[in-house]
Amino acid sequence: MGGRPSSPLDKQQRQHLRGQVDTLLRNFLPCYRGQLAASVLRQISRELGPQEPTGSQLLRSKKLPRVREHRGPLTQLRGHPPRWQPIFCVLRGDGRLEWFSHKEEYENGGHCLGSTALTGYTLLTSQREYLRLLDALCPESLGDHTQEEPDSLLEVPVSFPLFLQHPFRRHLCFSAATREAQHAWRLALQGGIRLQGIVLQRSQAPAARAFLDAVRLYRQHQGHFGDDDVTLGSDAEVLTAVLMREQLPALRAQTLPGLRGAGRARAWAWTELLDAVHAAVLAGASAGLCAFQPEKDELLASLEKTIRPDVDQLLRQRARVAGRLRTDIRGPLESCLRREVDPQLPRVVQTLLRTVEASLEAVRTLLAQGMDRLSHRLRQSPSGTRLRREVYSFGEMPWDLALMQTCYREAERSRGRLGQLAAPFGFLGMQSLVFGAQDLAQQLMADAVATFLQLADQCLTTALNCDQAAQRLERVRGRVLKKFKSDSGLAQRRFIRGWGLCIFLPFVLSQLEPGCKKELPEFEGDVLAVGSQALTTEGIYEDVIRGCLLQRIDQELKKTLGANDVSCTLDGCLEVPWEQEGAAPNLNLVSSFLAGRQAFTDFLCLPAKSSANWILAASLLSCSCFRSGFHRDSRVFLVQLAEGLSHSLETVSSHSVWSFRPTPRQ
């Protein structure tokens, strides 16, 4: 394990990597520019087109996703030769992990020994499993050397390990002092990995959608069809993963034989070499995207000005070309769908439905229990301190990793079965899919909590006693659960449609690639005549195929939902791919992150703390009952409950209702 690369990255190697990054950006950015134009047209068409009749019932929580900051002592395997050394570890709210020499260094604002964004890591809590993973990294060296014992690699067996493994980065080996500490760190680290992994997928910004589409198209042009987990992380991290996957076979062949050590020592040295290559590529990708940012801003502003006045003409021309294309490829497309997709589609849809349905049912159970606890506490306890604590806990439910773990585990249960069904279609993005289901569960929980707190505030008055207030809370509970049921149905539909496309669309495109794409040059003249980069023949071609797939998925959804009596409406399910649910906000930035320096500060930074506390303090007696207490309670109770709900506001919602202005019910 103490082995090191035979030579560090020298100047020539760094120059070679810079050249590889420049080539990647030179080939990728034209694709990105085209997708930015298509994304602007898609956004404008959604704004002007028919809206979905059935929208969300719950209030949308405006709280940005986060993890609770977690910190505590651990031991880490580090140094050369490596040995276990005590450290003080901190997981930041944005999901970045830092470690210090001791707690005082952290508290005094000292420099950390190391830090990392958790994007792309996998957490292992079994030493034996981790050692098997190391053995698999360099299997060719195991037969030539005597295999090392775990003691020589890790000095002594670890009772409560936390191994963070990454396909292109140095592994991080930690150990907790107790099983309880290991469990707490496991939940925190998994939350950080998930938070940083789906930053682009979670965004509805046009630039984020355009970036993901551009990555898919770029890889298709390289001959890679099929979704995988390469799109986890920020824009720079995604491009780094793309290039690392392209270069990995050559890198392994050229450098692995020259590494010193044997067995696991060589595997450890290999991860250190990969880490150096990854850092160099990430720095280059970040610099390239930052340099492109001003051009992107100007391009988006220009596209908005040029596309909006001509949007009707563009959409009419798109519809004409799409109609002709649909006629030309109908035969091969229908044949491919009947032969390859239709036999597996029912099982894929049913498994996707079970995955998301079980997770959201767990959310509903936790939500109902939380609302019941509030009503019970209001009836049974005159203590303002206890009620304040209950309100605070309720507001923190979406970010309580231990509590939400029940929902997250449900999203994991179908991973194996769904992976088997999707693998024949080239889909290897199961981690992204599971993260998507877990993020959906957290978002719906946050929306439901925010809705309950606002509705409760609106219906409670200072004229009520505790029993009457509890009865009103129970009515609010029923309304929230009804809204949650409606939104869960919509969420299930969107989840299944979205991931169904991710599984089947690249496969169908690959099957039609040899024949159907030969017909596309015939339509170039019609598209070029429009004079807008927002329309491309290839884009219209993919939209036609996407529309046919969505029709198939929707038909299967209706059959499945009817058979299972699941409340998930398909009303307003639009067949035109550009008119899917939820218009994107008018944002023009994805984010260009500094390599290894900032953890999504421009995109996932926590919002500034609300001024609710001091406004509340100034108008305490004029606040509504749910923030200030009931008439039979003491002034101490008023202050305690107000503080508790004010804190819930800051951690759940930023709706204007929480401005704490005096009400006419005073």
Side-chain angles (χ1 to χ4, degrees):
M1 189 170 184
R4 294 185 58 80
S6 56
S7 63
L9 293 179
D10 55 28
K11 182 178 180 180
Q12 183 177 358
Q13 290 170 323
R14 289 194 295 270
Q15 288 178 342
H16 172 73
L17 291 174
R18 279 197 294 269
Q20 294 294 318
V21 174
D22 290 343
T23 301
L24 170 68
L25 290 170
R26 190 163 52 248
N27 295 330
F28 171 76
L29 289 180
C31 193
Y32 191 14
R33 293 185 185 98
Q35 291 305 307
L36 285 170
S39 182
V40 171
L41 177 59
R42 186 181 301 117
Q43 178 189 355
I44 294 174
S45 70
R46 279 202 301 257
E47 292 174 358
L48 302 178
Q51 300 298 311
E52 186 177 2
T54 306
S56 297
Q57 300 295 310
L58 295 171
L59 298 174
R60 182 72 173 178
S61 172
K62 296 182 180 180
K63 182 65 179 180
L64 288 175
R66 62 183 172 89
V67 293
R68 285 180 173 177
E69 182 170 297
H70 191 79
R71 54 185 179 268
L74 293 173
T75 56
Q76 182 185 18
L77 190 66
R78 60 188 180 92
H80 297 283
R83 59 189 180 88
W84 289 103
Q85 302 180 48
I87 58 166
F88 188 78
C89 217
V90 180
L91 178 66
R92 300 292 188 180
D94 60 2
R96 187 170 185 82
L97 186 66
E98 299 176 351
W99 51 96
F100 300 79
S101 56
H102 47 79
K103 182 178 181 180
E104 290 72 20
E105 189 74 16
Y106 159 72
E107 292 176 339
N108 295 331
H111 293 290
C112 59
L113 295 173
S115 65
T116 186
L118 291 176
T119 308
Y121 276 97
T122 300
L123 178 63
L124 303 174
T125 55
S126 165
Q127 184 175 11
R128 181 178 299 177
E129 184 179 356
Y130 176 69
L131 294 179
R132 284 200 299 266
L133 183 147
L134 282 181
D135 293 342
L137 286 178
C138 300
E140 63 275 5
S141 68
L142 295 179
D144 301 330
H145 305 276
T146 302
Q147 184 172 341
E148 298 171 342
E149 294 298 325
D151 286 359
S152 63
L153 176 68
L154 299 170
E155 297 184 4
V156 293
V158 184
S159 298
F160 309 108
L162 296 158
F163 296 110
L164 287 168
Q165 178 268 336
H166 194 287
F168 311 124
R169 303 191 66 181
R170 179 186 289 110
H171 297 178
L172 300 174
C173 302
F174 301 102
S175 175
T178 65
R179 188 171 303 280
E180 291 73 17
Q182 181 196 43
H183 177 72
W185 273 107
R186 179 176 65 82
L187 294 180
L189 291 171
Q190 288 174 339
I193 293 170
R194 180 178 61 257
L195 176 68
Q196 294 207 328
I198 56 174
V199 56
L200 288 173
Q201 287 82 350
R202 185 186 298 113
S203 172
Q204 292 299 310
R209 298 292 92 193
F211 180 84
L212 292 174
D213 287 340
V215 169
R216 180 178 57 81
L217 290 175
Y218 168 81
R219 300 184 78 198
Q220 286 178 187
H221 295 161
Q222 305 296 316
H224 180 91
F225 290 84
D227 269 20
D228 52 26
D229 293 325
V230 75
T231 54
L232 291 175
S234 68
D235 45 9
E237 288 172 322
V238 168
L239 290 186
T240 299
V242 168
L243 185 57
M244 291 294 293
R245 294 197 181 203
E246 291 178 0
Q247 299 296 314
L248 190 60
L251 187 64
R252 176 181 285 273
Q254 294 170 5
T255 62
L256 196 57
L259 295 177
R260 293 198 302 268
R264 293 166 184 162
R266 176 176 290 190
W268 185 265
W270 169 244
T271 66
E272 292 187 324
L273 175 61
L274 283 178
D275 189 75
V277 175
H278 183 277
V281 173
L282 181 60
S286 297
L289 289 172
C290 284
F292 177 66
Q293 184 72 40
E295 178 188 341
K296 183 178 71 174
D297 294 341
E298 294 178 6
L299 178 61
L300 286 167
S302 173
L303 288 169
E304 172 73 20
K305 292 179 181 178
T306 57
I307 291 177
R308 190 172 289 276
D310 300 329
V311 65
D312 291 337
Q313 178 188 354
L314 290 172
L315 293 179
R316 282 195 300 268
Q317 185 66 7
R318 172 186 174 273
R320 283 194 293 266
V321 175
R324 292 173 54 198
L325 263 174
R326 191 177 295 109
T327 300
D328 282 10
I329 69 173
R330 177 178 290 121
L333 177 57
E334 284 296 319
S335 176
C336 175
L337 293 177
R338 284 196 301 266
R339 184 180 64 254
E340 304 289 351
V341 175
D342 290 350
Q344 296 297 325
L345 183 60
R347 282 181 284 184
V348 171
V349 167
Q350 290 166 12
T351 308
L352 284 171
L353 177 60
R354 283 196 296 268
T355 299
V356 66
E357 187 180 35
S359 182
L360 296 186
E361 181 59 30
V363 172
R364 184 196 180 283
T365 300
L366 291 177
L367 176 66
Q369 291 173 349
M371 293 186 291
D372 289 341
R373 281 194 301 270
L374 279 178
S375 297
H376 177 77
R377 181 64 63 191
L378 197 55
R379 288 180 184 276
Q380 300 298 325
S381 175
S383 170
T385 302
R386 290 185 179 181
L387 183 56
R388 182 192 61 176
R389 188 182 301 118
E390 202 68 60
V391 173
Y392 171 79
S393 298
F394 181 79
E396 282 287 290
M397 282 174 60
W399 327 115
D400 188 332
L401 290 171
L403 185 71
M404 293 294 293
Q405 194 63 23
T406 304
C407 313
Y408 298 159
R409 278 198 302 267
E410 293 296 339
E412 291 270 3
R413 292 189 190 280
S414 300
R415 178 198 286 263
R417 172 61 176 160
L418 190 54
Q420 292 175 353
L421 291 173
F425 299 96
F427 179 80
L428 302 174
M430 284 307 303
Q431 186 63 76
S432 300
L433 190 152
V434 170
F435 281 172
Q438 293 173 339
D439 184 66
L440 177 61
Q442 186 183 52
Q443 184 62 60
L444 276 176
M445 176 66 88
D447 293 348
V449 166
T451 303
F452 178 84
L453 292 177
Q454 177 160 329
L455 292 178
D457 180 68
Q458 292 173 351
C459 78
L460 297 179
T461 70
T462 53
L464 303 174
N465 61 35
C466 286
D467 288 337
Q468 293 169 332
Q471 290 174 2
R472 292 204 177 184
L473 284 188
E474 289 169 359
R475 287 197 290 270
V476 170
R477 174 190 185 276
R479 292 179 61 190
V480 171
L481 290 179
K482 185 176 181 180
K483 294 174 182 291
F484 180 84
K485 181 179 180 180
S486 173
D487 282 18
S488 294
L490 290 173
Q492 289 174 24
R493 172 170 63 89
R494 293 170 183 172
F495 181 87
I496 295 169
R497 295 180 92 220
W499 286 105
L501 282 177
C502 288
I503 293 171
F504 292 114
L505 178 60
F507 173 80
V508 174
L509 290 171
S510 69
Q511 296 297 299
L512 300 179
E513 177 83 6
C516 291
K517 271 209 168 181
K518 294 179 181 178
E519 309 294 331
L520 297 186
E522 299 179 11
F523 302 90
E524 287 291 346
D526 294 335
V527 173
L528 292 176
V530 180
S532 173
Q533 57 184 319
L535 287 185
T536 64
T537 307
E538 185 178 15
I540 299 173
Y541 167 75
E542 288 199 6
D543 285 337
V544 169
I545 298 174
R546 184 181 290 108
C548 293
L549 268 173
L550 282 175
Q551 288 180 1
R552 285 285 212 287
I553 294 171
D554 290 342
Q555 290 169 4
E556 191 58 43
L557 262 175
K558 289 182 179 179
K559 296 178 187 176
T560 303
L561 297 175
N564 293 332
D565 194 26
V566 178
S567 175
C568 175
T569 178
L570 286 172
D571 294 338
C573 178
L574 302 173
E575 296 177 359
V576 182
W578 280 8
E579 296 178 350
Q580 297 178 30
E581 310 81 23
N586 187 19
L587 303 175
N588 63 359
L589 300 178
V590 179
S591 59
S592 294
F593 304 103
L594 298 178
R597 301 301 183 198
Q598 278 183 281
F600 311 125
T601 53
D602 293 332
F603 192 83
L604 282 182
C605 57
L606 299 180
K609 193 170 184 179
S610 165
S611 60
N613 277 322
W614 69 265
I615 298 176
L616 171 65
S619 58
L620 178 61
L621 294 180
S622 60
C623 291
S624 71
C625 178
F626 199 53
R627 284 191 296 266
S628 60
F630 305 109
H631 70 277
R632 75 180 190 183
D633 295 322
S634 67
R635 178 63 179 269
V636 174
F637 173 84
L638 303 184
V639 176
Q640 290 171 334
L641 180 55
E643 290 175 352
L645 196 59
S646 172
H647 195 100
S648 296
L649 150 69
E650 295 179 2
T651 57
V652 178
S653 173
S654 58
H655 294 290
S656 59
V657 72
W658 295 108
S659 60
F660 296 107
R661 296 189 181 93
T663 70
R665 298 193 301 260
Q666 182 178 354

